[in-house]
Structure formats: C-alpha cells, structure tokens
C-alpha cells in the first residue's frame, strides 16, 4: 500500500498476487491501517468496484473523497 503513489490505484488482487496471498487478506490489512491518510489504503480498490474502507462499506464515501482529492491535486 505504501508504494502506491498518490493519484494511482491498484487492486486487492494485484497486491495479493505479488504477496502470494488472497485479496481478502489484503483487504483486511487495508482495513486495519491505523494511518489511512499517510499510508494510502484508499488507493487499493476492488477488481469491479471500490471495495470498502476501514472495514465498512459505509465509509466508502471517504474513500471516494480521498481519491477525487488526489486526482484534482495531481
């Protein structure tokens, strides 16, 4: 997660493939991120949707805002 640059995204599956893990495990690790502004877990998305944020689908609006904010400031 820390290596994904601002304005870019990567999927849970892409990270999982590199680690020899599962997308669900990557999602769980992203959800456990205690510093989401500094370590951009919002840049990790699902294959066909945004995925969750901070272990909650209700927080996806925060993820959307962060992604849009980065895109606008690139």
């Amino acid at each position: 997660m820390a290596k994904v640059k601002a304005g870019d995204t990567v999927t849970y599956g892409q990270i999982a493939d590199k680690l020899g893990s599962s997308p669900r495990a990557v999602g769980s690790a992203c959800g456990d991120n205690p510093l989401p502004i500094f370590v951009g877990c919002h840049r990790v998305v699902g294959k066909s949707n945004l995925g969750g944020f901070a272990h909650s689908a209700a927080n996806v609006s925060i993820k959307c805002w962060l992604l849009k904010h980065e895109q606008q400031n690139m």
Side-chain angles (χ1 to χ4, degrees):
M1 288 185 275
K3 292 183 180 183
V4 183
K5 296 178 183 177
D8 291 342
T9 59
V10 65
T11 67
Y12 299 105
Q14 289 171 316
I15 293 175
D17 287 345
K18 288 183 181 182
L19 298 175
S21 186
S22 73
R24 189 174 296 249
V26 173
S28 182
C30 288
D32 289 342
N33 178 11
L35 302 169
I37 301 274
F38 300 106
V39 180
C41 58
H42 61 280
R43 298 176 190 136
V44 185
V45 298
K47 182 178 178 180
S48 60
N49 60 44
L50 285 179
F53 185 72
H55 290 298
S56 173
N59 291 334
V60 173
S61 62
I62 297 168
K63 186 174 192 170
C64 288
W65 185 90
L66 288 167
L67 290 169
K68 286 179 186 177
H69 178 73
E70 285 184 350
Q71 296 268 323
Q72 291 171 352
N73 293 299
M74 294 306 299

